[in-house]
Amino acid sequence: MTVFNLPDLGEGLPDAEVVKWLVAEGDAIREGESMVEMSTAKAVVEVPSPYTGRVVKLHGGPGDLINTGSPLVTFAVNGEVVEAEPEAAPEPEPEPEPEPEPEPEAAPEPEQEAKPAPDAPDAPASGAEEIFLLPDLGEGLPDAEIVQWLVAEGEAVTEGENMVEMSTAKAVLEVPAPFTGIVARLYGGPGDVIETGKPLIAIITDGRVPKKAAPKASRAETKAETGKEGGDAGAVVGELIVGSEVKSDISVFADGIKASPVVRATAKKLNMDLAAVAGSGADGQITVRDVRAAAEAGAGKAETPATSEAAPSTPQPVSGDIKIGPVARSLAAELGVDLAGVTPSGPRGAISKKDVIAAARALIAGNLESTAVSSAAAPATSISSKGVRAAPKVRAHARARGVDLSRVQASGPEGSVTIADVNAALQADFRIGSPAVPSGTYKRPQRAYEVSGEAEKLVGPRRVMANMMAKAAAEICHTPIFDEADISRWPEGADITVRIMRAVVAAAMVEPAINAWYDHEGPAKTVHGHVSLGMAVDSPRGLFVPVIKNLDSLSPAEMRSQLDRHRKAIGDATITARDMSGATITLSNFGMMAGKFAAPIISMPEVAIVGIGGLYDRLVMTDKTIENHRFMPVSLTFDHRAATGGEAARFLRGLLDDLELAG
């Protein structure tokens, strides 16, 4: 017997109520067929059967509350004989009856399953299926969110091959497959939060494909069989439908060819052109057997285009919904690439980082000549960018902010300038003695990016930030204190950020109590003998806080080098969880964009966060005359549970004293 436990039907919902059973004990059922309506705190959903077989026992009736993870239905699958149950005590004789009953059930099944014959080695036998539990992806992180699966049920996977992107409180990470075999089951979908130590994926390690892989191959197949769409909305049950609305979509068929992701992956491995393969499945759908047969016959071989990385073929637009993970999406935003013009080559038609870079190269190559011409004809008041490798969106970003692209240090592919490079140049220009940029004729700024005007679910770093900030705001006794430093004695061209970093170290020496961690459960406080500074960095994907470890042992040049390395890693999505852990205090330099004073939220278990506002000039009366001085606004938010007002004031005084030094 196989017991199916109630999966999480929402975001951590503890239970669900049985509304109505759509099957009865003893009924035959096929995988994907709706078997029960369940009511949660969010909606009424239909839960489909995860198996093809016979219903043996229903665990509960209408109105009963079933806890998540508790038994919901017991099945007999793969020809199992249904034994009499205690409730069926009055009918002990019919015990032989279930044996003939599966026989008629088994007779039509070969006809209906003649198509997926290659999957005939049914569901995994005992010991053949390995379940991989989500490991701790950081320093004691309780959970991680699925960003996107890079594999599908029924696909072959090799040990070490990346199988899923997971978002933690620290970073977006790619988790490799722990085994070589066939993917039997994915425990969740994009947006689902998996607890550390809970099942993530099941893999058949002996190479057998579970029977459920064939009907689960794609949404197109499900629709062909049931007449309605369905898809994995994040739980083990497969399709979750609210009314008639599908919760999520996992397949995009832009080429009009009826083939599941598994079939497409097989064709790709065999270098087959699916357009030349005749489908023998329902409604002309192409099966794995069709692809293999065509490959053996030597027909339908795909032509390998003679392209190079330096000169990629012109990207064709992607029709329908665009499938892309946050890493590639962030890179596209940084490089100014329009996703509608990117040709996808990733799993199941997803756009990969490689695709984005190829599209960026094409954009840059096509823009160099035209940019040189337009720059030569531009009026004297315009910003020069002749010969600079940059996509149109990057140029627009720089133009709107008055940044001269010829003075920007490029870090993108083929020496191209990215949006992050422009932002870094803005900060570099935020130094003493920077020349003013002529404003020219007023022109309303363009919208920085397209907006839908509709509610969008927070995922990845943005979800983590929302949860952490809400928790911190509720639990920490935030107390702000403000002042300003007179930095008019700084030498021209001084690196503002490095001076601030140095000042934080100096303040921690003057008053160590603020460079600390607080544990409210103790309560206990750890005052650190080293300074590891968290640097709040804004990005299109949300807030990242890389940590510069042992800041007190670094030279100014090493501080700048470490910071630049972290910023580049955020830009190209290679930042790791280790790079964003261990901070003893955090710095938010929000003033490089706008704002003078603020009361930033502290990140637990830290005791304080320093905020730096925008520089401004003010007339100051001296003993002899009136002088124009430059000032830096400084904000300090500290946890009053862990530090006194006097300790916070002494730390702030130490910060100001170091900032006001001439060198």
Side-chain angles (χ1 to χ4, degrees):
M1 302 299 164
T2 302
V3 178
F4 173 65
N5 298 326
L6 178 67
D8 182 357
L9 300 180
E11 298 174 351
L13 293 175
D15 51 42
E17 178 185 336
V18 177
V19 177
K20 179 174 66 175
W21 285 104
L22 307 177
V23 294
E25 293 180 0
D27 283 356
I29 191 169
R30 291 184 61 81
E31 183 198 351
E33 182 182 338
S34 295
M35 59 182 183
V36 63
E37 288 183 1
M38 303 292 293
S39 175
T40 72
K42 301 186 182 268
V44 175
V45 300
E46 292 183 355
V47 180
S49 171
Y51 309 108
T52 294
R54 183 172 295 280
V55 178
V56 175
K57 180 176 177 60
L58 305 178
H59 296 269
D64 287 346
L65 208 60
I66 308 295
N67 291 330
T68 299
S70 295
L72 181 65
V73 184
T74 299
F75 296 91
V77 296
N78 303 325
E80 288 179 317
V81 176
V82 181
E83 298 178 359
E85 300 189 4
E87 298 90 78
E91 300 178 48
E93 274 84 32
E95 201 170 6
E97 230 176 306
E99 294 195 58
E101 275 188 326
E103 296 288 325
E105 236 4 75
E109 273 193 48
E111 293 175 45
Q112 297 166 1
E113 294 184 353
K115 239 190 328 159
D119 298 336
D122 292 68
S126 176
E129 181 176 294
E130 296 282 352
I131 296 179
F132 176 63
L133 307 180
L134 177 67
D136 183 356
L137 299 179
E139 299 176 345
L141 294 174
D143 54 41
E145 176 187 334
I146 296 174
V147 177
Q148 69 168 343
W149 283 103
L150 306 177
V151 297
E153 294 182 2
E155 284 187 350
V157 67
T158 305
E159 180 180 352
E161 176 187 348
N162 289 330
M163 60 181 184
V164 65
E165 285 185 3
M166 303 293 294
S167 175
T168 72
K170 307 286 185 182
V172 176
L173 307 171
E174 291 181 335
V175 180
F179 317 112
T180 294
I182 302 295
V183 178
R185 193 172 300 110
L186 305 179
Y187 289 88
D192 286 343
V193 176
I194 306 295
E195 294 180 9
T196 300
K198 292 297 179 70
L200 179 65
I201 189 172
I203 298 175
I204 311 299
T205 55
D206 62 1
R208 289 182 293 161
V209 182
K211 184 180 278 186
K212 65 179 290 182
K216 281 282 291 182
S218 73
R219 183 179 301 277
E221 292 172 354
T222 304
K223 187 174 181 181
E225 289 186 17
T226 64
K228 63 180 179 182
E229 291 192 356
D232 196 334
V236 184
V237 296
E239 298 145 5
L240 292 182
I241 302 171
V242 181
S244 60
E245 181 185 355
V246 180
K247 296 296 286 183
S248 66
D249 194 359
I250 60 171
S251 296
V252 178
F253 299 110
D255 55 9
I257 298 174
K258 295 181 179 180
S260 71
V262 179
V263 173
R264 292 173 183 272
T266 304
K268 186 176 180 181
K269 289 178 182 178
L270 297 177
N271 193 29
M272 297 294 296
D273 181 3
L274 285 175
V277 179
S280 64
D283 295 329
Q285 184 168 311
I286 300 173
T287 67
V288 172
R289 178 184 290 177
D290 297 332
V291 174
R292 288 176 178 158
E296 290 174 5
K301 282 287 182 182
E303 294 182 4
T304 304
T307 57
S308 65
E309 281 196 346
S313 57
T314 304
Q316 298 301 315
V318 180
S319 62
D321 295 333
I322 294 175
K323 295 186 65 180
I324 184 171
V327 175
R329 187 181 293 277
S330 173
L331 182 60
E334 286 295 322
L335 296 177
V337 173
D338 185 355
L339 293 176
V342 180
T343 300
S345 67
R348 297 174 299 285
I351 295 174
S352 66
K353 289 200 304 183
K354 183 175 69 175
D355 301 331
V356 172
I357 291 173
R361 285 185 177 131
L363 274 175
I364 292 163
N367 250 277
L368 279 175
E369 185 176 348
S370 60
T371 302
V373 173
S374 60
S375 296
T381 54
S382 67
I383 304 298
S384 171
S385 60
K386 184 176 180 179
V388 176
R389 307 176 73 87
K393 285 188 179 179
V394 177
R395 294 180 183 278
H397 183 74
R399 190 163 49 248
R401 286 154 182 79
V403 174
D404 183 350
L405 285 176
S406 65
R407 298 173 53 215
V408 176
Q409 185 175 359
S411 66
E414 306 295 324
S416 62
V417 176
T418 69
I419 289 176
D421 297 335
V422 174
N423 292 339
L426 272 173
Q427 184 191 16
D429 282 344
F430 195 158
R431 299 180 181 182
I432 304 299
S434 295
V437 178
S439 59
T441 306
Y442 173 76
K443 182 179 180 182
R444 187 178 66 185
Q446 294 180 341
R447 185 177 283 112
Y449 51 86
E450 292 302 318
V451 295
S452 66
E454 299 178 357
E456 297 178 2
K457 183 179 178 181
L458 293 180
V459 297
R462 294 188 184 278
R463 178 189 70 87
V464 172
M465 180 189 69
N467 293 339
M468 290 181 64
M469 292 298 98
K471 181 177 175 65
E475 296 185 8
I476 294 177
C477 184
H478 290 83
T479 308
I481 181 171
F482 312 108
D483 211 321
E484 56 189 10
D486 186 337
I487 61 171
S488 54
R489 293 196 297 158
W490 281 13
E492 187 171 328
D495 190 325
I496 289 183
T497 304
V498 170
R499 284 297 306 265
I500 297 168
M501 294 161 72
R502 188 190 80 175
V504 172
V505 172
M509 301 301 158
V510 173
E511 181 50 84
I514 301 301
N515 182 51
W517 286 351
Y518 179 73
D519 178 8
H520 72 278
E521 292 184 358
K525 179 179 176 180
T526 303
V527 179
H528 297 284
H530 67 283
V531 178
S532 290
L533 183 64
M535 297 289 295
V537 177
D538 181 54
S539 83
R541 289 190 292 134
L543 179 68
F544 286 81
V545 188
V547 179
I548 300 178
K549 309 286 176 60
N550 300 311
L551 185 69
D552 48 305
S553 65
L554 302 180
S555 68
E558 289 171 329
M559 291 179 185
R560 167 53 64 184
S561 175
Q562 290 278 2
L563 178 58
D564 289 346
R565 180 178 66 83
H566 285 313
R567 279 193 171 132
K568 185 177 186 304
I570 291 171
D572 58 23
T574 59
I575 191 81
T576 66
R578 186 176 180 181
D579 291 332
M580 295 192 291
S581 61
T584 59
I585 189 169
T586 295
L587 169 65
S588 175
N589 192 6
F590 58 85
M592 70 182 208
M593 289 178 281
K596 284 188 178 180
F597 296 99
I601 300 295
I602 301 166
S603 295
M604 297 187 287
E606 297 166 41
V607 169
I609 180 172
V610 176
I612 301 297
L615 308 187
Y616 65 96
D617 293 336
R618 190 176 74 217
L619 295 177
V620 174
M621 180 76 74
T622 67
D623 292 339
K624 298 179 180 180
T625 185
I626 297 175
E627 297 177 353
N628 185 44
H629 285 203
R630 174 155 284 196
F631 286 87
M632 174 185 288
V634 181
S635 305
L636 174 69
T637 303
F638 69 98
D639 187 349
H640 220 325
R641 300 174 305 170
T644 67
E647 290 168 335
R650 281 190 291 274
F651 181 90
L652 181 58
R653 183 69 264 166
L655 193 67
L656 297 174
D657 287 345
D658 194 84
L659 287 171
E660 292 181 345
L661 293 175

